[in-house]
Amino acid sequence: MAGSRRRSSTLAGMTPEGHASAPVRVGLLGCGNVGGALAEVLAEDPEGLFARTGLRLELTRVAVRNTAKARGPSVPEHLLTSDAAAVVTADDVDVVVELIGGIEPARSLILDALKAGKPVVTGNKELVADLGDELFQAAAAAGVDLLFEAAVAGGIPIVRPLRESLAGERLTRVMGIVNGTTNYILTKMEAGESYGEALAEAQSLGYAERDPTADVEGFDASAKAAIIATLAFGQKVVGGDVAREGISGLTPADFAFARRMGFVVKLLAVAECHGDGSVSARVHPSLVAADHPLASVRDSFNAVFVEGEAVGQLMFFGRGAGGRPTASAVLGDLLDAAHSLRGGACGRLPQPGRARIRPFEDLASPYYVSLLVRDQPGVLATVAGAFGRNGVSIRSMEQEGAPGGDARIDFITHTATERDVQATLTELRELEVVDAIGGLIRVVA
Ligand code: HSE
């Protein structure tokens, strides 16, 4: 998605001699955690910002649902309005920042802003992942920027590096810990907490929502994975292309086994470009070798690990959520948009063609499979037969349990396809000696 530069209209009212100090006027849609932090950052040190960048940014309008709610000194009452549609077309707004989230009304407001010739900065991952084409076409038609650094991994600069710095690189794989809430929960489970305890803690700290589904079932990470895959490989991947499994089925036994085998458990977003040019994107709990750089990413931190043919391995690490870190990403985009306005150019995003998606069933990796079985003579041979009949080779196994009672057998397989492993599980579930599948985690090196 590397962009060529092309001419567009210059900032209204700016004369060449006025360029240095005329403020770029910002209309903000949504003033929650990130919007409020952005207002703070803009108000804090405008002279410092001008000294560093040669630009002044002035917040001129702020659209919120509740205008009666006090927003603090950075958002004076006279800036507030409930009329978001008026903000995007207002004469005193040069750049629109959309931080409402969700599909509507964010989509319509962004389209209206672009049609009015205003660059837009958004942190809306869902919108960019699923309706990016429509928005980028509108931005291209208007000749203005549509920037979305905050949509992936909050404060970590990853969109611009993928789109610009690495534009010429033949990237092969990008793996990310792109959801801070689940990384926090997994870190606590690694320390011995149950899923329920760790989730409750994440909720009390404000990381997880009361309804945590979007985070814990991997929806949030899937939208980010789709954006990452599109940027990394120049082929359009949408949220629905991403194979997804969340963390809510993980148990303390999975973590204990992972530790014994030299792994940690991470919710990874993995985007790959395969040898035949097809692309895959998936989000699922993954066993990561304890000495891999991603294994050291703990608590609510995010990281994105990028692999390319010439550049080798890179890792971007930092805060993937939170008001000020995410506002930092929005501010960088705002300055970029402001520079474009001042220079009469914009970074044009080409619309890539649809990706050829490699089916999830065709992806291959080693697997951890855990079985709860009766501990009787011949059980191991019976379950091992199911692996063998489906072409899944066992690399190692470990059994815990008292003779005559129930046992847990943990297997690590050699590299096998998802299709063959699922066929194995189907057969295993039908065996009388197997009480349950205790766990299944893909090993991602
Ligand atoms: N809820 C997300 C997280 C942040 O926990 O990382 C917003 O995408």
Side-chain angles (χ1 to χ4, degrees):
M1 274 186 144
S4 60
R5 314 289 291 183
R6 72 184 178 94
R7 304 288 302 173
S8 78
S9 58
T10 50
L11 184 56
M14 271 197 174
T15 60
E17 56 283 6
H19 275 176
S21 59
V24 173
R25 297 159 301 176
V26 178
L28 175 60
L29 309 178
C31 195
N33 199 16
V34 179
L38 177 69
E40 254 174 46
V41 171
L42 289 176
E44 262 165 23
D45 183 21
E47 290 311 314
L49 186 71
F50 178 63
R52 290 193 301 277
T53 65
L55 289 166
R56 294 184 190 283
L57 299 174
E58 183 192 350
L59 194 59
T60 49
R61 293 186 187 227
V62 180
V64 292
R65 236 187 326 214
N66 180 4
T67 52
K69 186 172 158 190
R71 309 275 165 175
S74 319
V75 188
E77 212 181 313
H78 72 271
L79 300 186
L80 294 175
T81 172
S82 57
D83 190 353
V87 170
V88 304
T89 53
D91 286 344
D92 61 357
V93 168
D94 302 310
V95 185
V96 172
V97 176
E98 184 276 308
L99 295 173
I100 301 172
I103 300 295
E104 287 293 356
R107 170 186 159 272
S108 301
L109 290 165
I110 291 175
L111 288 172
D112 288 348
L114 295 170
K115 271 181 212 137
K118 303 194 183 188
V120 174
V121 174
T122 178
N124 194 325
K125 58 196 161 276
E126 203 185 343
L127 203 49
V128 173
D130 288 342
L131 299 172
D133 278 352
E134 182 186 24
L135 303 180
F136 295 126
Q137 271 167 28
V144 294
D145 284 322
L146 171 60
L147 302 170
F148 53 96
E149 184 63 70
V152 182
I156 303 176
I158 185 64
V159 169
R160 194 167 276 97
L162 288 175
R163 207 183 71 197
E164 296 180 5
S165 322
L166 297 167
E169 177 71 28
R170 209 196 301 264
L171 295 176
T172 49
R173 185 167 67 162
V174 182
M175 298 192 290
I177 294 170
V178 291
N179 183 272
T181 303
T182 46
N183 204 44
Y184 179 84
I185 293 171
L186 296 179
T187 303
K188 292 292 162 187
M189 289 184 79
E190 200 183 323
E193 289 186 14
S194 70
Y195 171 72
E197 287 166 342
L199 171 61
E201 229 174 277
Q203 283 169 321
S204 73
L205 288 168
Y207 295 148
E209 309 278 336
R210 196 173 309 164
D211 175 0
T213 309
D215 289 323
V216 301
E217 298 306 342
F219 291 100
D220 173 80
S222 293
K224 293 166 181 171
I227 297 172
I228 285 174
T230 303
L231 291 167
F233 310 130
Q235 301 184 46
K236 182 67 195 166
V237 176
V238 298
D241 295 327
V242 181
R244 179 191 50 78
E245 185 182 301
I247 64 164
S248 57
L250 296 173
T251 65
D254 297 328
F255 285 79
F257 177 74
R259 190 177 318 113
R260 286 198 299 279
M261 301 300 287
F263 292 112
V264 296
V265 184
K266 293 291 180 196
L267 183 72
L268 291 191
V270 184
E272 279 178 282
C273 189
H274 302 277
D276 63 355
S278 65
V279 164
S280 62
R282 55 200 163 111
V283 169
H284 52 64
S286 306
L287 290 182
V288 177
D291 60 358
H292 190 281
L294 285 170
S296 64
V297 178
R298 304 170 67 75
D299 298 313
S300 62
F301 281 95
N302 280 200
V304 184
F305 189 82
V306 179
E307 294 166 281
E309 284 186 2
V311 77
Q313 299 179 329
L314 302 166
M315 188 155 101
F316 300 78
F317 168 88
R319 285 278 172 212
R324 287 180 72 90
T326 310
S328 164
V330 173
L331 179 60
D333 278 352
L334 259 178
L335 290 165
D336 199 357
H339 274 300
S340 293
L341 281 175
R342 200 166 79 169
C346 79
R348 203 173 86 73
L349 291 172
Q351 287 94 53
R354 278 287 283 148
R356 187 156 56 85
I357 301 291
R358 177 172 287 209
F360 186 52
E361 294 69 31
D362 291 345
L363 301 183
S365 71
Y367 283 70
Y368 150 75
V369 178
S370 175
L371 303 178
L372 305 177
V373 298
R374 315 257 176 88
D375 197 356
Q376 293 166 358
V379 169
L380 184 56
T382 306
V383 298
F387 283 89
R389 279 189 294 282
N390 289 288
V392 179
S393 177
I394 294 166
R395 186 165 82 195
S396 66
M397 59 95 29
E398 193 184 272
Q399 177 173 335
E400 265 187 276
D406 291 332
R408 178 182 179 106
I409 312 181
D410 295 319
F411 296 93
I412 294 277
T413 72
H414 285 290
T415 296
T417 64
E418 182 73 24
R419 179 178 290 102
D420 289 345
V421 171
Q422 290 302 336
T424 305
L425 294 184
T426 301
E427 199 172 317
L428 286 168
R429 282 191 195 96
E430 283 165 9
L431 293 175
E432 207 181 312
V433 295
V434 174
D435 292 330
I437 308 296
L440 175 132
I441 309 180
R442 295 154 190 95
V443 179
V444 178

